[in-house]
Amino acid sequence: MLKLRSTATELLLKEDWNEYINLYSRFISRCHFPQTSPNDDDDDCTNLRQTLCSALSNRAEAYSKLRDLSSFPS
């Protein structure tokens, strides 16, 4: 997770939006949640959900920087 954040920060500072989008897209596609019952809400799952929300938000912001909202995945 630290490597992801470090790489994302480097790309953000360079304003390399395409690679920033690619980085977060790869991360998002690899997120898998364990099978749990609705009452199970362990810290790892909560942290993963929070990280996934941040990744989706950061990727959306990068798309807006490119002004390319038409390519935003649905």
Side-chain angles (χ1 to χ4, degrees):
M1 200 60 62
L2 292 175
K3 178 142 176 62
L4 170 75
R5 288 184 179 144
S6 175
T7 303
T9 300
E10 289 175 20
L11 295 170
L12 178 68
L13 292 173
K14 291 182 197 174
E15 296 185 5
D16 187 345
W17 305 122
N18 288 315
E19 281 305 311
Y20 191 78
I21 289 166
N22 289 336
L23 175 72
Y24 277 114
S25 293
R26 285 190 308 269
F27 172 76
I28 291 164
S29 70
R30 292 180 180 153
C31 281
H32 298 287
F33 292 97
Q35 295 294 332
T36 59
S37 67
N39 294 332
D40 292 343
D41 198 24
D42 62 59
D43 289 339
D44 289 339
C45 194
T46 299
N47 289 339
L48 181 57
R49 282 192 175 105
Q50 290 173 343
T51 303
L52 179 58
C53 287
S54 292
L56 289 164
S57 176
N58 290 343
R59 185 178 70 172
E61 182 180 3
Y63 275 115
S64 73
K65 296 284 187 187
L66 290 174
R67 305 247 191 281
D68 186 10
L69 301 179
S70 65
S71 65
F72 188 81
S74 51

